[in-house]
Amino acid sequence: MAFHKVVKGTVLVGGGALATVLGLSQFAHYRRKQVNLAYVEAAECFEPVNREPPSREAQLLTLRNTLEFDILVIGGGATGSGCALDAVTRGLKTALVERDDFSSGTSSRSTKLIHGGVRYLQKAIMKLDIEQYRMVKEALHERANLLEIAPHLSAPLPIMLPVYKWWQLPYYWVGIKLYDLVAGSNCLKSSYVLSKSRALEHFPMLQKDRLVGAIVYYDGQHNDARMNLAVALTAARYGAATANYMEVVSLLKKTDPETGREHVSGARCKDVLTGQEFDVRAKCVINATGPFTDAVRKMDDKSAAAICQPSAGVHIVMPGYYSPESMGLLDPATSDGRVIFFLPWQKMTIAGTTDSPTDITHHPIPSEEDINFILNEVRNYLSCDVEVRRGDVLAAWSGIRPLVTDPKSADTQSISRNHVVDISESGLITIAGGKWTTYRSMAEDTVNAAIKVHNLKAGPSRTVGLFLQGGKDWSPTLYIRLVQDYGLESEVAQHLAATYGDKAFEVAKMASVTGKRWPIVGVRLVSEFPYIEAEVKYGIKEYACTAVDMISRRTRLAFLNVQAAEEALPRIVELMGRELNWDEKKKEPNQTV
């Protein structure tokens, strides 16, 4: 099959013929002031079929007993979950299966930014690249929408661009102002220039020698794993049969009696936790497996050419005192030309990312070389009064970006994060490439293609303005009610509100009595973090099946402090074992992770 790199709105069809998805995809380009109108249409005209997501056992029964789904999505990352939500809210009978846990791959290992891509805009202007420009514009629209539909999990973040040469000040200022201009009515807040003294007031640990001034612009930040989970849980509430730890062993095919051609008709799935296998049949199968895109494509066609080139991005987490609580930093030109972000997140500091070719693995591990590279770049931007120590790295992770590229290209740094919808000769639909911020529009394009190719009966996408789980009744002061009504610590209440949104009350109801005068309820898992034991119980309702699901994605402890996660692990295993009736063998470390 011929390979073509395409911009948004174009799908790849087997044999190299192009078919353009028109009409419905334009829905994704409404401006921010139209988002509220879209919400009225999308959310108020229909309600979720389930008040709470059904249990995993109930979902497995639905997968096993449903004669045929309209759409089966393989992959429970941001894009796959987004496809399931888009499809089910159009009225399509939808299934979603994930081999590991929701967001266990790249979607939980990002820089935590919801952004249009300042550097992509720079490339678009320097190279007069209309494709890059369109991608940035689309991402800025999606940024606004994501901040709207999940306000508890996301927020605007000011990011400082320090300037150390006078000529760079007008150069960067023009570039950042163009970023604001492209955003238009979706601009979060207007960028501004700071003098040297004002820059040091905002970021006192900044290297002051030769500092000329700084430019501050705004992007979004989110809790990526929780955001992914919110998308999957919302899809489940609207009726999608969603199940984690369901591995696709092979694709099912049947022959069209009229044409004699085979087409994909479902998948043979294996419950990783029990070993049981069964068939899930569907009119259309969507491959949304990120770095593992080509592995699924080869299940369909062993001769399929690779369209995904993986790139590794490493991040490290350092104590919160390395950065201001509400100001990030962008290093636009590192020693090797890559971009480094230095961001406050969950009261810690994230630094990253690297960008280098890598092999595909289920559990990528950051190399010591990458960690030291990031530390050296951090040293270049921080005052000599701040000693940047290897021992201050509390956690580190590596994520594999599924970049779409010419397989012969070795330079992944220059590759666009735009997405491609690929349709095989047998009807397997693959969504590849893209970025976290644009997951929703990627899903819309993919489902549009599925409807067109497989003649499915469905209306337009309804996900613009559709609140994700926890977002609808959230407010910035919700945590106060948690403190007043349940006797939670203020820090714990703020954490619950920012993690679960309007579902925080359900977690609070599960909280154990502390036996102290204050707080009344809310026993912490570890003393220095606001995670409480009730979250373990609630996490099981959110499909957590292992202790790693709990410390990595229901809470973010493993991403913030590895030692704290190890300290909390025995208690988490004890609580999960009690709720899930684990025997002693199941509670052993190699069994619970």
Side-chain angles (χ1 to χ4, degrees):
M1 185 185 72
F3 172 77
H4 302 268
K5 191 171 183 181
V6 296
V7 298
K8 180 184 184 297
T10 304
V11 297
L12 291 176
V13 181
L18 294 177
T20 304
V21 179
L22 298 174
L24 297 179
S25 64
Q26 302 305 313
F27 191 71
H29 293 287
Y30 285 170
R31 291 192 175 277
R32 182 173 176 79
K33 58 187 171 184
Q34 292 172 294
V35 166
N36 290 329
L37 295 176
Y39 165 69
V40 171
E41 179 183 343
E44 291 187 359
C45 295
F46 71 112
E47 291 294 328
V49 295
N50 302 306
R51 184 177 178 275
E52 297 295 335
S55 68
R56 183 174 182 273
E57 291 71 23
Q59 298 283 37
L60 292 178
L61 281 174
T62 303
L63 286 171
R64 185 189 291 268
N65 296 333
T66 299
L67 189 63
E68 185 180 51
F69 290 95
D70 292 318
I71 287 181
L72 167 63
V73 182
I74 306 173
T79 306
S81 299
C83 287
L85 179 58
D86 189 277
V88 75
T89 51
R90 296 189 196 210
L92 294 169
K93 192 181 294 184
T94 305
L96 168 66
V97 294
E98 161 60 42
R99 173 176 55 192
D100 205 304
D101 185 27
F102 301 116
S103 195
S104 59
T106 306
S107 296
S108 63
R109 300 163 185 259
S110 73
T111 311
K112 321 303 179 194
L113 287 178
I114 311 170
H115 62 134
V118 172
R119 56 177 169 157
Y120 302 143
L121 181 60
Q122 180 189 27
K123 289 179 183 178
I125 295 170
M126 299 296 287
K127 298 180 181 179
L128 300 177
D129 188 337
I130 190 65
E131 180 185 340
Q132 292 261 14
Y133 170 80
R134 286 172 177 163
M135 185 190 72
V136 173
K137 191 170 181 64
E138 175 190 58
L140 289 170
H141 169 269
E142 294 300 326
R143 179 188 70 178
N145 182 64
L146 197 49
L147 289 166
E148 181 90 13
I149 64 176
H152 58 304
L153 293 170
S154 59
L157 176 72
I159 300 175
M160 181 183 292
L161 188 72
V163 179
Y164 288 92
K165 295 179 181 178
W166 280 107
W167 67 266
Q168 290 179 333
L169 198 59
Y171 174 76
Y172 287 137
W173 181 83
V174 169
I176 294 299
K177 281 300 175 185
L178 282 173
Y179 192 59
D180 290 350
L181 186 64
V182 173
S185 59
N186 292 325
C187 182
L188 301 179
K189 291 183 182 180
S190 183
S191 57
Y192 56 91
V193 177
L194 291 175
S195 65
K196 176 179 178 178
S197 60
R198 291 285 291 163
L200 291 172
E201 282 181 27
H202 285 281
F203 212 118
M205 54 286 289
L206 197 61
Q207 170 65 264
K208 64 183 75 173
D209 295 341
R210 302 188 309 279
L211 181 68
V212 173
I215 299 168
V216 176
Y217 73 99
Y218 287 81
D219 255 327
Q221 188 178 52
H222 70 151
N223 186 336
D224 53 1
R226 293 293 317 184
M227 186 74 80
N228 189 159
L229 186 62
V231 178
L233 292 172
T234 305
R237 290 183 63 208
Y238 276 94
T242 61
N244 53 354
Y245 294 99
M246 286 297 295
E247 180 180 5
V248 170
V249 178
S250 62
L251 296 178
L252 306 177
K253 291 188 177 181
K254 64 182 180 181
T255 303
D256 188 322
E258 295 182 3
T259 64
R261 294 174 59 182
E262 279 192 331
H263 66 270
V264 175
S265 60
R268 180 75 176 175
C269 296
K270 176 183 177 181
D271 186 340
V272 176
L273 302 180
T274 65
Q276 294 182 352
E277 293 187 13
F278 56 88
D279 292 342
V280 178
R281 299 197 175 274
K283 297 173 184 173
C284 170
V285 176
I286 293 175
N287 170 19
T289 52
F292 304 97
T293 291
D294 288 324
V296 176
R297 292 177 71 246
K298 288 182 184 299
M299 284 185 188
D300 173 40
D301 178 6
K302 292 181 180 179
S303 64
I307 64 171
C308 181
Q309 182 170 318
S311 170
V314 172
H315 297 80
I316 63 174
V317 173
M318 306 175 77
Y321 55 70
Y322 272 95
S323 66
E325 191 173 332
S326 58
M327 178 74 75
L329 182 76
L330 168 63
D331 177 357
T334 61
S335 56
D336 68 350
R338 294 183 288 197
V339 170
I340 288 285
F341 285 99
F342 197 57
L343 307 168
W345 186 70
Q346 302 281 309
K347 299 190 176 180
M348 295 294 181
T349 300
I350 291 178
T353 177
T354 59
D355 195 356
S356 54
T358 186
D359 295 326
I360 296 175
T361 174
H362 292 300
H363 302 289
I365 299 172
S367 68
E368 194 65 27
E369 180 183 357
D370 283 331
I371 291 172
N372 286 325
F373 167 79
I374 296 172
L375 288 173
N376 286 331
E377 293 303 324
V378 169
R379 289 187 186 101
N380 292 337
Y381 269 83
L382 295 190
S383 168
C384 57
D385 297 334
V386 180
E387 183 184 358
V388 180
R389 305 176 300 181
R390 175 62 179 85
D392 282 341
V393 177
L394 304 175
W397 68 84
S398 176
I400 301 177
R401 300 187 191 93
L403 307 183
V404 181
T405 181
D406 181 342
K408 297 178 181 179
S409 173
D411 180 15
T412 63
Q413 199 279 329
S414 64
I415 297 170
S416 167
R417 266 60 172 179
N418 214 342
H419 65 274
V420 165
V421 178
D422 169 55
I423 304 171
S424 75
E425 295 285 357
S426 58
L428 175 68
I429 295 183
T430 295
I431 172 66
K435 54 193 287 187
W436 222 122
T437 306
T438 58
Y439 86 91
R440 192 213 63 80
S441 61
M442 291 166 63
E444 181 181 344
D445 287 350
T446 306
V447 177
N448 281 345
I451 291 168
K452 184 180 180 70
V453 172
H454 293 277
N455 298 316
L456 303 176
K457 294 181 179 180
S461 176
R462 307 174 80 173
T463 52
V464 171
L466 179 69
F467 277 117
L468 300 183
Q469 170 145 315
K472 187 174 182 180
D473 295 321
W474 174 87
S475 74
T477 58
L478 183 146
Y479 79 95
I480 297 174
R481 289 175 54 198
L482 292 172
V483 175
Q484 294 175 336
D485 294 353
Y486 295 94
L488 289 161
E489 290 176 84
S490 181
E491 183 187 13
V492 170
Q494 289 179 55
H495 153 68
L496 294 181
T499 302
Y500 304 95
D502 58 31
K503 298 295 181 182
F505 295 101
E506 296 181 22
V507 183
K509 290 175 184 176
M510 296 180 175
S512 303
V513 175
T514 63
K516 301 176 183 178
R517 180 182 60 82
W518 188 264
I520 298 171
V521 299
V523 178
R524 294 193 183 210
L525 289 167
V526 283
S527 59
E528 66 267 41
F529 288 92
Y531 302 113
I532 61 174
E533 292 182 355
E535 292 181 76
V536 178
K537 300 175 186 176
Y538 191 77
I540 293 170
K541 296 178 64 175
E542 296 181 321
Y543 305 130
C545 298
T546 72
V548 168
D549 297 346
M550 202 67 69
I551 62 173
S552 296
R553 293 171 287 276
R554 303 311 181 278
T555 71
R556 305 311 308 274
L557 201 49
F559 281 79
L560 295 172
N561 190 312
V562 172
Q563 291 184 348
E566 290 176 349
E567 181 183 329
L569 193 57
R571 181 58 176 160
I572 289 173
V573 170
E574 181 183 346
L575 291 168
M576 291 189 74
R578 188 184 304 163
E579 295 293 319
L580 296 172
N581 298 316
W582 288 349
D583 57 26
E584 291 305 312
K585 184 178 180 180
K586 179 66 176 174
K587 291 180 183 179
E588 292 175 5
N590 63 329
Q591 296 292 320
T592 56
V593 301

